[in-house]
């Protein structure tokens, strides 16, 4: 596999949600951006329509070998390897979990039900939040809320891109039983607009995603680091708004992403919503805050 095929196609600034924004303390940004570079590069491998499934698996093996110091083949894996070597508290387990999800993407194009999709999200999305929490030295008790929020963001991304994923990669994350339950067929994803049956399937998934977001909204107060608490509050608010946009618009026909101005506005809403909690925490006596 050529080096070009495994280099990241875009930067963290092109995502739907903040990645190591200015809210994150400067000493933590390098680790998060290195993890993002690793994830984006590996994701590009499995999204490359010119590669066979075996070539994709070989490329992901190269990512793993480079991350673990067994190879120098993948430039996109080297910054994270260096971070892990320098910060002994961090483990490669969250990056390796991502590779498991990407290996699924290389060979698996359909999901039977919501549980299967959540199992995929447990490897494709949850490790991202867990890595960020580990970087900040947060408790593993924050993982359930983080997992829910990250899984919600993953499903939102799947729904936003459901037409493109089907048309370009023949990959469908909408569970088969969600389609069958409304009488929709996979081929409906190739249409110019969603049929009533497909719309009903999407609405069911949007409702389930709303429940995930509600669970994930418990994360900001659980996070000890005040700056990360604000960051997670922003992400939760953006997830809520993106899910609402999907409810209002047709992802086969309409723009279902937030523009920069709208994203900034909703980020401000997220910060504002978290301020009462932050102020309460700042007002606590130091001995209580340490508990």
């Amino acid at each position: 596999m050529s080096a070009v095929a495994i280099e990241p196609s875009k930067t963290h600034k092109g995502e739907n949600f903040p990645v190591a924004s200015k809210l994150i303390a400067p000493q933590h940004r390098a680790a998060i951006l290195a993890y993002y570079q690793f994830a984006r590069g590996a994701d590009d491998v499995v999204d490359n329509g010119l590669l066979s499934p075996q070539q994709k698996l070989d490329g992901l093996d190269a990512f793993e070998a480079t991350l673990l110091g067994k190879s120098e083949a993948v430039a996109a894996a080297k910054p994270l390897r260096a971070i892990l070597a320098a910060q002994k508290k961090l483990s490669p387990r969250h990056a390796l979990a991502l590779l498991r999800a990407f290996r699924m993407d290389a060979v698996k194009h359909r999901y039977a039900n919501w549980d299967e999709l959540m199992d995929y999200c447990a490897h494709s999305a949850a490790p991202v939040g867990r890595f960020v929490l580990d970087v900040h030295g947060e408790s593993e008790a924050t993982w359930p809320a983080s997992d829910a929020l990250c899984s919600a963001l993953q499903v939102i991304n799947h729904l936003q891109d459901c037409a493109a994923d089907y048309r370009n990669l023949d990959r469908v994350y909408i569970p088969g039983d969600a389609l069958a339950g409304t009488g929709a067929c996979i081929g409906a994803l190739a249409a110019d607009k969603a049929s009533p049956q497909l719309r009903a399937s999407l609405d069911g998934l949007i409702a389930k995603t709303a429940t995930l977001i509600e669970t994930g909204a418990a994360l900001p107060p659980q996070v000890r680091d005040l700056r990360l608490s604000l960051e997670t509050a922003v992400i939760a608010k953006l997830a809520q708004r993106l899910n609402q946009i999907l409810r209002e618009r047709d992802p086969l026909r309409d723009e279902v992403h937030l523009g920069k101005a709208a994203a900034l506005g909703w980020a401000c809403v997220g910060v504002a919503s978290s301020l009462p909690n932050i102020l309460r925490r700042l007002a606590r006596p130091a001995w209580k805050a340490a508990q």
Side-chain angles (χ1 to χ4, degrees):
M1 177 173 293
S2 67
V4 175
I6 54 178
E7 289 307 303
S9 62
K10 64 180 180 180
T11 71
H12 64 287
K13 295 181 180 179
E15 297 294 342
N16 283 333
F17 51 89
V19 178
S21 78
K22 296 300 183 182
L23 288 173
I24 295 293
Q27 66 267 28
H28 298 315
R29 285 172 54 80
I32 296 170
L33 291 175
Y35 187 89
Y36 173 84
Q37 184 179 8
F38 177 90
R40 171 49 54 194
D43 194 30
D44 285 345
V45 170
V46 295
D47 285 351
N48 188 329
L50 300 178
L51 300 177
S52 69
Q54 187 57 54
Q55 287 174 317
K56 293 176 181 182
L57 293 173
D58 291 343
L60 296 174
D61 287 345
F63 266 81
E64 180 172 331
T66 303
L67 178 69
L68 299 179
K70 301 176 182 178
S71 170
E72 300 296 323
V74 182
K78 292 180 181 179
L80 181 57
R81 184 178 73 187
I83 290 288
L84 296 178
Q87 300 187 29
K88 300 301 183 183
K89 66 178 181 179
L90 298 178
S91 162
R93 60 178 171 167
H94 301 312
L96 295 176
L98 275 182
L99 292 181
R100 177 175 173 180
F102 293 143
R103 289 185 174 104
M104 292 171 66
D105 279 333
V107 298
K108 184 179 176 68
H109 288 189
R110 302 289 188 270
Y111 290 81
N113 50 51
W114 180 257
D115 288 343
E116 271 197 16
L117 184 60
M118 287 299 96
D119 179 67
Y120 171 79
C121 290
H123 298 96
S124 67
V128 179
R130 292 182 179 191
F131 180 81
V132 174
L133 291 166
D134 279 2
V135 167
H136 286 80
E138 296 290 337
S139 167
E140 291 187 8
T142 60
W143 283 10
S146 175
D147 291 354
L149 183 56
C150 290
S151 294
L153 290 167
Q154 180 74 84
V155 177
I156 288 169
N157 182 256
H158 290 332
L159 298 181
Q160 287 174 321
D161 297 338
C162 61
D165 283 342
Y166 176 65
R167 295 165 184 165
N168 301 332
L169 300 169
D170 188 33
R171 194 182 294 158
V172 179
Y173 294 102
I174 300 173
D177 64 351
L179 292 170
T182 64
C185 63
I186 286 177
L189 291 167
D192 293 332
K193 64 178 183 179
S195 66
Q197 294 84 1
L198 178 58
R199 182 70 249 181
S201 297
L202 297 177
D203 286 343
L205 296 175
I206 290 166
K208 289 185 175 182
T209 304
T211 300
L212 290 174
I213 295 171
E214 184 177 354
T215 301
L219 178 62
Q222 295 175 9
V223 173
R224 293 192 301 266
D225 184 279
L226 293 182
R227 296 178 67 149
L228 181 60
S229 180
L230 286 172
E231 176 93 337
T232 56
V234 167
I235 292 172
K237 188 60 66 174
L238 289 174
Q240 186 180 49
R241 179 53 188 153
L242 287 167
N243 204 45
Q244 183 62 34
I245 289 174
L246 282 165
R247 193 186 306 277
E248 297 167 352
R249 304 179 193 171
D250 181 351
L252 273 63
R253 180 190 59 199
D254 304 325
E255 175 63 45
V256 289
H257 294 76
L258 284 172
K260 289 184 178 180
L264 178 59
W266 282 98
C268 292
V269 171
V271 169
S273 69
S274 189
L275 284 179
N277 173 61
I278 296 296
L279 292 174
R280 283 195 299 270
R281 291 166 63 175
L282 290 174
R284 292 171 64 192
W287 65 271
K288 284 190 175 182
Q291 290 181 342

